[in-house]
């Protein structure tokens, strides 16, 4: 109902971008994953063709477990991209490479802190350079 109302209000106000964050979903909780599927259907019913993007936010500290998490999420909803958060506190960002290889999902943004300006467009070349840099 909240997602439907949000899309309805977005249409009424003529907004270009509407973000819906169904926070608190764990890939191991089937009932919450089923809710995601329902939200997608409700959004599409209100605005045919929507959602145009579905991004999965992964915790960068999860390491290789993030691959399994992404696999299970993509089996419930059509994920079009990733946001990898908490890369400021971990050296486990290598999961990005594993996810890309296993699921061919593009990383759209990375989070390197808790402020909005620390959400950055993902630049693969700069990321690899930072990992392999000897400086």
């Amino acid at each position: 109902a909240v997602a439907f109302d949000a899309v309805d209000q977005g249409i009424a106000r003529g907004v270009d971008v509407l973000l819906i964050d169904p926070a608190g979903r764990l890939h191991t909780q089937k009932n919450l994953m089923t809710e995601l599927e329902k939200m997608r259907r409700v959004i599409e019913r209100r605005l045919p063709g929507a959602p145009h993007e579905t991004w999965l936010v992964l915790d960068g500290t999860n390491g290789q477990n993030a691959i399994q998490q992404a696999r299970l999420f993509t089996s419930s909803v059509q994920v079009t991209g990733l946001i990898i958060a908490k890369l400021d506190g971990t050296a486990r960002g290598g999961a990005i490479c594993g996810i890309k290889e296993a699921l061919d999902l593009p990383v759209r943004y990375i989070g390197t802190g808790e402020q909005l300006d620390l959400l950055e467009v993902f630049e693969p070349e700069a990321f690899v350079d930072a990992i392999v840099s000897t400086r």
Side-chain angles (χ1 to χ4, degrees):
V2 173
F4 184 90
D5 289 346
V7 174
D8 204 39
Q9 288 298 311
I11 292 169
R13 294 179 180 163
V15 299
D16 293 326
V17 176
L18 175 67
L19 298 176
I20 298 174
D21 179 6
R25 311 287 167 185
L26 291 175
H27 61 288
T28 55
Q29 296 175 321
K30 181 65 178 157
N31 61 326
L32 295 179
M33 297 306 292
T34 302
E35 278 184 10
L36 281 180
E37 296 167 13
K38 181 179 179 185
M39 286 175 60
R40 184 175 186 86
R41 288 190 308 270
V42 166
I43 291 166
E44 187 173 20
R45 198 172 311 129
R46 182 59 188 100
L47 182 63
H52 302 97
E53 294 277 343
T54 301
W55 295 340
L56 172 60
V57 180
L58 294 172
D59 184 331
T61 62
N62 284 347
Q64 295 300 312
N65 184 47
I67 296 171
Q68 181 62 11
Q69 184 179 5
R71 243 189 212 109
L72 292 170
F73 264 90
T74 57
S75 69
S76 288
V77 292
Q78 181 185 359
V79 175
T80 59
L82 301 170
I83 298 174
I84 309 296
K86 299 183 184 177
L87 286 181
D88 55 319
T90 183
R92 293 181 171 179
I96 291 174
C97 300
I99 292 168
K100 175 67 176 159
E101 183 177 321
L103 301 169
D104 198 29
L105 288 173
V107 177
R108 306 286 193 196
Y109 295 92
I110 58 172
T112 57
E114 294 186 18
Q115 278 71 39
L116 184 57
D117 61 343
L118 296 176
L119 184 64
E120 307 168 19
V121 172
F122 179 64
E123 310 245 357
E125 295 82 12
F127 181 77
V128 170
D129 287 347
I131 290 176
V132 298
S133 176
T134 58
R135 290 187 256 165

